[in-house]
Amino acid sequence: MSRLNSAALLLACGFIFVFTETILSPFYPQFFAQVFGIADLTLTGNYVAMCRLTVLISAPTWGFIARKVDPLKLLIFGQLLAAGATLLLSQARDLNSFLLLSVLLLLFKSSYFLFYSLLIELQGKHRQAKTVGQVQLVVHAALIASALASAWVLELANPLQMFAFVALLDLLQVFLCVLVFRHRRQARTSEAPAVKVSEPQQIWMLPTIMAYGLLVLSFSVASNAVRPYLTIYSTDVLGVDRIAAAWLYLIPSLMAFAVFPLLQSAWIKRIQPMQAYGVMLATLVLSLAWQAVAASFYQLLLARMLFGFSLLSAQAVLEMYLF
């Protein structure tokens, strides 16, 4: 199995991870109302905040451990534990147990972020722009699939049953990672030891790290603040059905297929990252303002398209700058 095939397996793992993590995201308010009988929208906000905080704490921990342990082994271990936690989640009997198991699940599932460094290692730094583009496509293809599947999940008599299916997908992800691990071990034993060539290293000072962190924070808040409530706004205010609301939710992800060709073009290597980010950020602000005043389905649709294009372009520039 070649490096290309190993990278394809890792990308498939990325698809499964994003799909399973976001399958309920478009309809959290409706899910809590249907399963636990709680229609208070603050529950959705608190739940999303709790999940993000869990990942914020646990993801760097996995990264720290990966400095001493093979990241691919950690990825396999973390996702195996995540499969078990997901299966337990399907048996949650009340809201408190659901919240507790969600935290446990995310503690394990956040090991997925090791996937990025592993993919860069396999693809090579010279294919950085292509790797970022591939990740963008995989992530947003998974978001599209999960948004469409989430509308179906709410049709189940007990939507919690969905987590048993998700656990099987997590096990499939573990199996794919094991295949990558076996191939990498065989490749390393058959290859001659590589001669290390010293390369100039870019050292990021604390002010630079803080500035970059603030950029990512502001970017994430702007792009995620309204997402949990978009579908309920679409159905209750605009009067569209659940499927149309799901399409409005996933329109930005569809724009990944418009952004990807740009990432493969020659000019992407010549642009100044922060200048491009500034332009995309200004467009992002415009698209968010347009969504706020959109008075019809079609106005919101166009605003979401512009939002998706600017969001994904800015995200791609940031990721290329980081890696």
Side-chain angles (χ1 to χ4, degrees):
M1 184 166 50
S2 66
R3 282 177 172 265
L4 184 62
N5 289 334
S6 294
L9 289 177
L10 276 180
L11 287 169
C13 291
F15 179 93
I16 295 171
F17 170 83
V18 176
F19 177 84
T20 55
E21 188 199 28
T22 61
I23 192 167
L24 284 176
S25 295
F27 296 105
Y28 274 137
Q30 296 92 327
F31 171 80
F32 287 126
Q34 181 174 334
V35 176
F36 300 112
I38 302 174
D40 186 359
L41 293 181
T42 58
L43 173 60
T44 296
N46 292 335
Y47 177 76
V48 172
M50 180 191 71
C51 291
R52 298 300 182 197
L53 180 61
T54 302
V55 174
L56 181 67
I57 295 171
S58 56
T61 304
W62 286 104
F64 177 78
I65 299 173
R67 298 169 68 177
K68 303 179 182 298
V69 182
D70 185 348
L72 188 52
K73 288 183 179 179
L74 280 180
L75 183 61
I76 294 171
F77 177 70
Q79 299 311 302
L80 187 61
L81 292 177
T86 305
L87 187 60
L88 290 175
L89 203 56
S90 68
Q91 303 301 314
R93 291 291 176 258
D94 52 51
L95 179 61
N96 288 334
S97 60
F98 179 84
L99 296 178
L100 180 62
L101 288 170
S102 294
V103 170
L104 183 66
L105 171 63
L106 288 171
L107 286 174
F108 301 140
K109 216 167 181 64
S110 57
S111 62
Y112 158 80
F113 290 99
L114 299 170
F115 151 88
Y116 283 98
S117 59
L118 289 168
L119 192 59
I120 292 291
E121 175 190 333
L122 280 172
Q123 298 270 47
K125 295 182 72 173
H126 62 286
R127 297 177 52 146
Q128 180 176 329
K130 185 173 183 178
T131 301
V132 170
Q134 289 174 335
V135 171
Q136 289 272 2
L137 280 182
V138 166
V139 166
H140 292 285
L143 287 173
I144 292 168
S146 66
L148 295 176
S150 63
W152 166 78
V153 167
L154 292 181
E155 299 297 326
L156 296 174
N158 180 14
L160 285 173
Q161 295 172 346
M162 174 270 303
F163 288 105
F165 170 70
V166 169
L168 291 177
L169 291 180
D170 285 339
L171 290 177
L172 173 60
Q173 183 184 177
V174 170
F175 173 72
L176 295 178
C177 287
V178 169
L179 290 181
V180 174
F181 177 76
R182 291 181 60 185
H183 166 254
R184 193 181 64 170
R185 184 172 58 183
Q186 292 169 359
R188 285 179 174 177
T189 55
S190 61
E191 291 177 356
V195 178
K196 289 188 177 181
V197 179
S198 60
E199 297 180 357
Q201 299 294 320
Q202 180 182 12
I203 300 176
W204 284 31
M205 304 304 289
L206 183 59
T208 306
I209 295 173
M210 294 296 292
Y212 186 83
L214 287 174
L215 276 177
V216 174
L217 176 63
S218 60
F219 180 82
S220 298
V221 170
S223 60
N224 291 301
V226 299
R227 288 184 66 191
Y229 307 105
L230 181 70
T231 56
I232 200 166
Y233 169 81
S234 303
T235 54
D236 292 359
V237 177
L238 297 181
V240 302
D241 60 28
R242 188 176 291 168
I243 297 299
W247 278 105
L248 280 174
Y249 182 91
L250 60 82
I251 281 294
S253 297
L254 286 172
M255 298 308 296
F257 295 93
V259 172
F260 182 72
L262 296 179
L263 296 178
Q264 310 310 306
S265 59
W267 68 269
I268 193 70
K269 299 178 180 179
R270 298 194 297 266
I271 63 172
Q272 292 294 323
M274 289 300 98
Q275 290 180 1
Y277 179 78
V279 172
M280 289 300 102
L281 187 61
T283 311
L284 185 63
V285 170
L286 176 64
S287 66
L288 284 168
W290 190 5
Q291 290 183 71
V293 299
S296 68
F297 172 82
Y298 293 104
Q299 287 184 29
L300 186 56
L301 179 68
L302 292 173
R304 296 282 292 166
M305 291 176 66
L306 180 62
F307 170 75
F309 183 83
S310 55
L311 174 71
L312 299 175
S313 299
Q315 184 177 347
V317 170
L318 278 178
E319 289 182 357
M320 284 190 290
Y321 186 67
L322 173 63
F323 289 115

